[in-house]
Amino acid sequence: MASGYDPKEIEKKWQEVWAATKLYATTDDSNKPKTYVLDMFPYPSGEGLHVGHPKGYIATDVYARHMRMRGHSVLHPMGWDAFGLPAENFAIKTKIHPRVAVEKNIARFKEQLAGIGFDYDWSREINTTDPAYYTWTQWIFLQMFKKGLAFQSNEPINWCPSCMTGLANEDLDGTVCERCGTEVEKKSLPQWVLKITAYADRMLADLDSLRWPEHIKEAQRNWIGRSEGAHIEFSIAGSDKKIKVFTTRPDTLFGATYMVLAPEHALVKELPISNRADVDAYVASASAKSEIERTDAGKDKTGVELKGVKAMNPANKEEIPVYVADYVLGGYGTGAIMAVPAHDERDYEFAKKFNIPIVQVIEPKFFGSKEVIEKKFGTTRGDEVRPDMEFVRREAVCAVVRNPKDDTYLCVSWKSNHMNGLVTGGIEAGEDIVEAARREVAEETGYKNLKFVRTSPVAINTFFYHRVKKQNRWAHFTFVFFDLENDECQAIDEQETALHEIVWKKKEELKSFFTVFEGDFVVDLLNDREYVHTGPGMLSNSGTFNRLDSEEAKKKITELVGGVLTTTYKLKDWVFSRQRYWGEPIPIIHCEKCGAVGVPEKDLPVLLPEVTSYEPSGTGESPLATIAEWVNTTCPECNGPAKRETNTMPQWAGSSWYYLRFIDPQNSEALVAKDKEKFWAPVDVYVGGDHAVRHLIYARFWHKFLYDIGSVSTIEPFARLEFLGFILAEDGRKMSKRHGNIIDPQTVVAEYGADTFRVYEMFMGPFENTVAWSTTSIVGTKRFIKRVWKAAELVQDAPATDLDTPLHQTIKKVGDDIETFKFNTAVSQMMIFLNELEKSGSIGKEQWQSFLQLLAPFAPHVTEELWARLGNASSVHLSQWPQFDEKKILASVVEVAVQVNGKVRGSVLLHPDATEAQALSAARADTNVAKWLSGGSEKKAVYVKGRIVSFVVEQS
RNA sequence: GGGCGAGUGGCGGAAUUGGUAUACGCACAUGGCUUAGGACCAUGCACCGCAAGGUUUGGGAGUUCGAGUCUCCCCUCGCCCACCA
């Protein structure tokens, strides 16, 4: 009889054994395949860990243990991202040195982690605030400085008046500081900036090679925000000044009917404006407005015309007005736009409000090639464009007739070829468009009392093959909207009646009803009275460019007006200085004679000096600036008097390369030794969530730089990324001190044991899902572990043959599921196996060992104990992962459901290799199936091997 | 407004990718064992129905012998980005 399951005792015992035997020491053993598994390392906050933090750590632990059992050399390290504002703000409040607070927090974190039973090799622990670590952070900065990728700038930056430091765009939450929520200001300070934009295209392109969740890749793309377009200059009448704009749509230039300058734009001050007072007032009110108000996309457009100023549209040489408006942002593109109200919703809204002309220059184009039609309808209908035929262009009209009584639309359905559409027809020479539409409606449908509502400003071009006229047609459709006044009908020509029938359809039925391929567009048009066509198309009202495709026109029109095709990014260069104490000193010395000089590499690290006060000066200088003996130094180049750079690096610096240091944490010669880097890099699986987008951008940027200077051998740092879903408190809110709903993992481990805790976190739901903690549900996994404990009593020498199939299915599923991070179903499969085991009543020793091995990555302590009790001398965690036998996965008999007319009427037991004939006859022999078959004549019978038998019976 | 994703029992969630929907677990119910139990064991548990049977994966249509899964329309929710020219 085994004694009762006591997690406290066995967990402590094995953790001590593992530590004493250095069971998890990482070996750089290049004879084995390698796996590098990494969590986003934590910031050791004063709050300690809550049960949400270890979820990712458990996942990587399971994955790492499993890969080790599969014979891999495994690197699974842990460390601390310990620079940053919270520790510093705490220091300001308490006068305790941030280093002291950080050490204390780390000790607490380690204590909390210790009880969970991770397989970290603590000899590789790193800490970003350790001089032996940050010397290499500074070294990387120096290499960037040498390559001109780190440079000084005086441009106005975001300044948080509360944190008293400059911030990168990425540190903002909209327009407020993401740490303290204070509205940021613009401030001009000398800043260090990293040229991350130089890597934008590579960061974009190399995403394709990564095994990352699509939504994270998409977030990276959005963050980089590449857009291709052109810079175009507009001259100003009576001035030599020019307005330079960036546009992604140079093809719409002929439709640019006004221009807008951002309130911050330099020209607003410089131009000879006759209503100066109004303009200045507007600019002042725009800058006074909180940026949240200003950038709220939903709000009404505001702006003021610059009177006395006219710009010239370089395409059609027309004079157009210039406005200042805050819907144009100073920080993007050139801070000025050409406005094309016909093809941009924001410009449209503004133009409507200020009565500015709207000129359509792009007409939607629907080209009915064979491919397009096949893709949309899955089949061709004979109206596809004939590739070798000329097009005959016709002016045409499309009548949109609404019956206001029941809100339905008049449609016609052609009998001969199943075409469903609206009433359309050609416009006769000299005929008015609206008259033509009325005539077509009357001829085709008989309705004659129509109230004209509007014509759509947007015309479209449809290219198709006219089956009756046997020619390629290019129909230029204008839309005319009517309301039906009454049902009065005139007689329709019999010929017409024979061709088609009339149907009234509700708006929401139209999309599926239409079989003309411009149908979707027509529905959009009637859904949206203010429809603005922002897509591609065919040019109109554009002089010699008319009828050109918009894509081609982009280049040609840019050339015409002397513009330059160019690419811009949302991503801005990275403002890299912080005016704070607790960060890596930027290793630069300012000399009056030599300028900014890099600290020689032999003098690294530039140690963070001791200070008496951690307060930022508030003048834009860091606390370091107050330490004269540290600041004053000599220039490494001319030996003259010089001053140290007093700004520090942002918290992101240390985390941008830490994954490399784990590979070779003690190296004092290089940030990582080449051979070790070659062996371990890249990170095979990287796990995290939350602020991942920015961290990933920065780390990828640094990594690519390190690749360029030969420090690393891979172009990307993280080959595979798994996104972590968070754990919420039981009340569904985030766990926080403020809500008082934090659950400490130590409490849970003390009450349920580490193995239960680990299995529960993996079983809670899909790994990427956000799930609320549940103190009631965790007992389920506790029961499971206890039942495993008890099942050890069922072990016998002889294998239980009835467990062969479930065991081998479980081996396969658990292995596959760990590989794909589907831990919840891996656990559930092991529960299923345990149920089978208990039902069977006995299990062979070998089978039991295999099961323990499968469970070992999830519940390392209890499995180690039971493994040892079987007489194994070495650890289960170093044992070899069990192999499944394909043959044993297949059961010797399978239960196959039998359907009659789609309903399950019985099931039959079949050999997996049974033939269709055998399956069908067995199915027919089932009494209940026979009953349902006897009601009629059998039309069809299907057998899908091992799955299903399906009969179709026609009732007689 | 844009992008991405998701809607399955009272709850967390499964479903070999088009093949018996609701696995596994929680909660709940009944019974057992117990001095006791927030321990353990057994049974039941999508819905309607005494049953035969019928209905059910947000709603509606379609393709198919067969749809949670594929196609179209509509509704709801979540996340990220948001006047990016």
Side-chain angles (χ1 to χ4, degrees):
Chain A
M1 259 312 259
S3 55
Y5 171 58
D6 180 4
K8 271 202 188 81
E9 189 196 312
I10 62 169
E11 287 174 5
K12 184 160 173 288
K13 175 175 103 189
W14 286 111
Q15 283 167 14
E16 284 167 7
V17 171
W18 296 334
T21 57
K22 293 200 166 57
L23 190 71
Y24 305 122
T26 309
T27 51
D28 302 329
D29 181 353
S30 52
N31 291 324
K32 289 195 218 169
K34 68 91 187 182
T35 296
Y36 183 3
V37 204
L38 184 66
D39 291 280
M40 290 182 187
F41 69 160
Y43 174 80
S45 77
E47 295 203 6
L49 294 170
H50 61 67
V51 289
H53 291 106
K55 180 176 165 185
Y57 310 157
I58 296 169
T60 51
D61 199 64
V62 169
Y63 189 87
R65 287 171 180 277
H66 156 256
M67 289 313 283
R68 190 177 294 112
M69 290 170 78
R70 289 216 191 244
H72 282 226
S73 270
V74 171
L75 178 54
H76 181 224
M78 182 48 79
W80 316 103
D81 185 16
F83 273 130
L85 280 177
E88 178 166 346
N89 289 337
F90 183 73
I92 292 167
K93 232 191 284 173
T94 62
K95 299 285 172 204
I96 296 171
H97 195 290
R99 189 191 306 119
V100 176
V102 160
E103 274 166 14
K104 195 175 141 238
N105 293 346
I106 288 177
R108 166 105 179 98
F109 266 57
K110 282 176 93 164
E111 186 199 324
Q112 286 180 298
L113 291 177
I116 303 171
F118 292 118
D119 70 353
Y120 301 127
D121 176 356
W122 283 110
S123 72
R124 290 184 182 243
E125 175 181 3
I126 58 174
N127 177 337
T128 54
T129 66
D130 180 350
Y133 179 88
Y134 70 67
T135 184
W136 294 106
T137 313
Q138 291 174 334
W139 182 86
I140 296 170
F141 179 89
L142 278 180
Q143 309 313 307
M144 289 197 175
F145 176 66
K146 283 183 197 161
K147 299 274 179 196
L149 289 168
F151 59 94
Q152 280 183 291
S153 159
N154 260 312
E155 282 185 41
I157 51 119
N158 306 302
W159 174 261
C160 173
S162 164
C163 298
M164 292 192 264
T165 185
L167 298 171
N169 282 344
E170 289 75 22
D171 295 324
L172 308 185
D173 205 350
T175 61
V176 302
C177 169
E178 65 153 10
R179 289 213 164 269
C180 66
T182 310
E183 189 79 23
V184 298
E185 299 164 358
K186 288 283 171 189
K187 188 159 182 162
S188 283
L189 280 176
Q191 297 288 330
W192 285 95
V193 177
L194 301 188
K195 200 154 184 55
I196 189 170
T197 51
Y199 285 81
D201 278 336
R202 281 164 66 187
M203 290 202 281
L204 213 47
D206 294 342
L207 280 174
D208 294 339
S209 68
L210 300 175
R211 183 176 169 191
W212 289 18
E214 202 42 54
H215 73 273
I216 306 250
K217 287 194 192 182
E218 202 49 43
Q220 297 273 297
R221 290 187 194 108
N222 283 338
W223 204 277
I224 296 165
R226 180 192 157 102
S227 56
E228 282 179 34
H231 278 132
I232 294 175
E233 289 190 326
F234 287 62
S235 54
I236 296 168
S239 163
D240 55 356
K241 298 228 158 56
K242 292 190 173 205
I243 302 176
K244 187 177 178 185
V245 302
F246 173 73
T247 176
T248 54
R249 296 298 302 272
D251 52 314
T252 64
L253 183 55
F254 283 85
T257 52
Y258 67 99
M259 304 191 77
V260 184
L261 302 179
E264 305 79 344
H265 199 285
L267 282 177
V268 175
K269 291 197 195 81
E270 296 168 13
L271 290 172
I273 300 165
S274 59
N275 56 339
R276 174 54 68 187
D278 288 353
V279 170
D280 286 353
Y282 180 80
V283 171
S285 81
S287 67
K289 253 189 241 173
S290 88
E291 297 228 2
I292 292 206
E293 250 179 284
R294 204 186 128 174
T295 55
D296 178 9
K299 80 165 175 116
D300 251 14
K301 297 273 179 294
T302 60
V304 175
E305 185 177 353
L306 306 183
K307 295 271 171 63
V309 176
K310 291 283 178 199
M312 193 187 73
N313 183 325
N316 55 22
K317 312 290 182 201
E318 281 176 22
E319 284 199 342
I320 57 175
V322 181
Y323 288 75
V324 56
D326 64 7
Y327 81 93
V328 171
L329 308 174
Y332 185 76
T334 61
I337 63 160
M338 64 178 224
V340 184
H343 305 294
D344 181 286
E345 279 164 24
R346 296 152 301 171
D347 297 346
Y348 177 84
E349 202 188 314
F350 190 87
K352 276 269 173 180
K353 187 166 166 185
F354 290 86
N355 279 316
I356 304 167
I358 299 170
V359 179
Q360 302 288 331
V361 292
I362 305 286
E363 293 175 342
K365 175 179 175 182
F366 298 95
F367 195 85
S369 66
K370 189 159 176 273
E371 296 75 33
V372 169
I373 292 175
E374 264 175 1
K375 190 166 172 226
K376 186 152 170 53
F377 300 102
T379 168
T380 50
R381 301 98 42 109
D383 63 336
E384 64 273 12
V385 165
R386 302 297 189 263
D388 44 4
M389 259 179 157
E390 293 283 299
F391 283 95
V392 179
R393 189 175 198 269
R394 290 286 304 270
E395 286 301 324
V397 67
C398 177
V400 185
V401 181
R402 188 177 75 105
N403 185 346
K405 286 202 188 94
D406 54 4
D407 203 28
T408 52
Y409 290 84
L410 176 59
C411 303
V412 287
S413 181
W414 279 269
K415 291 169 182 168
S416 58
N417 49 23
H418 308 293
M419 291 291 281
N420 299 326
L422 295 165
V423 174
T424 57
I427 300 174
E428 307 292 335
E431 195 180 20
D432 175 76
I433 291 174
V434 178
E435 285 319 306
R438 284 185 191 280
R439 177 180 51 73
E440 288 291 346
V441 173
E443 280 176 17
E444 287 191 15
T445 71
Y447 293 105
K448 53 186 195 181
N449 294 322
L450 306 177
K451 193 174 112 207
F452 171 74
V453 180
R454 63 185 166 117
T455 58
S456 162
V458 182
I460 67 168
N461 298 282
T462 300
F463 297 80
F464 63 101
Y465 178 73
H466 198 296
R467 277 163 285 189
V468 180
K469 302 268 162 62
K470 294 199 167 24
Q471 56 187 208
N472 271 347
R473 273 292 175 86
W474 169 7
H476 184 246
F477 279 115
T478 302
F479 293 86
V480 184
F481 293 78
F482 297 104
D483 275 354
L484 186 69
E485 287 182 314
N486 58 43
D487 289 348
E488 197 184 327
C489 269
Q490 68 185 39
I492 316 170
D493 187 14
E494 265 177 37
Q495 256 182 317
E496 292 277 352
T497 331
L499 284 175
H500 54 73
E501 62 181 320
I502 297 156
V503 222
W504 289 87
K505 287 279 175 188
K506 289 209 176 298
K507 202 191 320 188
E508 53 275 12
E509 295 171 323
L510 288 175
K511 262 197 189 169
S512 49
F513 170 74
F514 282 146
T515 56
V516 288
F517 52 97
E518 67 277 16
D520 290 358
F521 173 80
V522 175
V523 177
D524 289 346
L525 209 56
L526 46 106
N527 274 334
D528 185 3
R529 287 190 69 103
E530 306 272 297
Y531 179 82
V532 176
H533 183 66
T534 54
M538 205 169 173
L539 271 65
S540 65
N541 291 319
S542 296
T544 57
F545 297 96
N546 281 349
R547 301 184 184 180
L548 199 62
D549 190 80
S550 54
E551 260 329 293
E552 285 173 61
K554 283 181 179 174
K555 207 176 146 211
K556 293 198 168 154
I557 291 183
T558 304
E559 272 170 18
L560 169 78
V561 299
V564 186
L565 290 173
T566 144
T567 304
T568 61
Y569 304 89
K570 274 198 269 184
L571 182 71
K572 294 274 163 279
D573 281 333
W574 182 6
V575 174
F576 198 66
S577 350
R578 299 292 180 275
Q579 293 70 43
R580 301 291 303 225
Y581 173 71
W582 192 232
E584 301 89 343
I586 291 177
I588 291 289
I589 290 168
H590 297 277
C591 167
E592 266 186 42
K593 211 164 91 196
C594 312
V597 179
V599 171
E601 286 178 23
K602 66 174 171 55
D603 294 341
L604 293 182
V606 177
L607 288 173
L608 190 57
E610 299 297 318
V611 288
T612 46
S613 165
Y614 307 101
E615 300 274 356
S617 64
T619 60
E621 285 187 303
S622 89
L624 299 184
T626 61
I627 314 169
E629 62 271 31
W630 185 80
V631 171
N632 292 315
T633 183
T634 52
C635 173
E637 288 190 358
C638 70
N639 266 322
K643 286 181 186 302
R644 286 190 187 279
E645 168 69 47
T646 60
N647 281 336
T648 53
M649 300 187 196
Q651 194 185 347
W652 303 104
S655 59
S656 293
W657 72 280
Y658 75 106
Y659 55 92
L660 292 170
R661 192 62 177 171
F662 281 128
I663 292 174
D664 193 8
Q666 324 291 351
N667 193 330
S668 56
E669 304 301 314
L671 63 90
V672 59
K674 281 209 158 62
D675 55 335
K676 291 184 181 173
E677 188 276 335
K678 270 221 168 72
F679 178 61
W680 287 113
V683 174
D684 295 286
V685 186
Y686 194 34
V687 174
D690 208 12
H691 289 311
V693 183
R694 300 153 63 190
H695 160 60
L696 293 170
I697 285 268
Y698 294 144
R700 295 178 64 220
F701 161 44
W702 277 37
H703 190 92
K704 286 181 184 303
F705 171 73
L706 292 172
Y707 175 81
D708 287 350
I709 63 169
S711 289
V712 298
S713 61
T714 65
I715 57 168
E716 284 284 338
F718 314 117
R720 173 177 168 194
L721 185 84
E722 287 295 334
F723 185 80
L724 162 71
F726 300 103
I727 296 180
L728 301 172
E730 275 194 285
D731 57 13
R733 295 185 297 182
K734 273 175 97 167
M735 280 189 211
S736 76
K737 233 179 197 168
R738 189 152 51 94
H739 293 138
N741 55 8
I742 292 181
I743 299 175
D744 183 337
Q746 276 186 305
T747 321
V748 180
V749 169
E751 188 171 349
Y752 297 93
D755 287 331
T756 296
F757 175 67
R758 294 169 59 106
V759 174
Y760 176 60
E761 293 225 336
M762 293 299 94
F763 184 60
M764 282 177 85
F767 184 65
E768 67 280 7
N769 279 20
T770 302
V771 206
W773 182 263
S774 164
T775 18
T776 52
S777 292
I778 193 172
V779 303
T781 47
K782 173 83 182 233
R783 281 178 200 147
F784 170 64
I785 302 281
K786 280 164 86 168
R787 283 165 56 208
V788 169
W789 182 264
K790 217 169 155 228
E793 295 168 21
L794 305 177
V795 176
Q796 311 203 332
D797 288 337
T801 48
D802 55 342
L803 290 179
D804 268 347
T805 300
L807 177 64
H808 284 262
Q809 284 171 342
T810 304
I811 294 171
K812 175 160 168 43
K813 178 137 185 76
V814 171
D816 290 353
D817 284 355
I818 291 174
E819 166 54 30
T820 50
F821 271 54
K822 291 181 191 159
F823 305 108
N824 57 329
T825 49
V827 172
S828 113
Q829 181 62 38
M830 289 186 283
M831 289 173 167
I832 291 169
F833 179 76
L834 182 64
N835 290 343
E836 293 290 327
L837 194 172
E838 288 171 342
K839 222 189 292 170
S840 158
S842 80
I843 181 167
K845 188 179 166 190
E846 300 282 319
Q847 295 173 314
W848 177 242
Q849 297 215 51
S850 294
F851 175 70
L852 290 180
Q853 288 176 302
L854 300 181
L855 183 58
F858 295 86
H861 312 86
V862 69
T863 48
E864 186 82 309
E865 175 69 24
L866 294 174
W867 180 261
R869 288 185 183 204
L870 289 172
N872 287 297
S874 76
S875 170
V876 66
H877 303 297
L878 301 182
S879 68
Q880 210 200 324
W881 190 256
Q883 302 265 315
F884 61 86
D885 182 341
E886 224 31 277
K887 276 178 254 140
K888 287 188 174 164
I889 284 178
L890 289 175
S892 54
V893 279
V894 285
E895 193 185 357
V896 173
V898 183
Q899 292 185 342
V900 180
N901 287 350
K903 296 224 190 309
V904 178
R905 298 301 182 188
S907 65
V908 286
L909 293 173
L910 292 173
H911 190 271
D913 295 329
T915 63
E916 170 152 344
Q918 290 168 328
L920 294 182
S921 69
R924 289 195 186 97
D926 182 275
T927 48
N928 197 44
V929 172
K931 192 181 93 188
W932 286 94
L933 287 178
S934 65
S937 60
E938 197 179 303
K939 284 275 158 206
K940 185 169 184 172
V942 183
Y943 173 55
V944 181
K945 204 173 166 188
R947 290 271 96 90
I948 206 158
V949 176
S950 180
F951 293 106
V952 184
V953 173
E954 199 164 273
Q955 298 301 324
S956 48

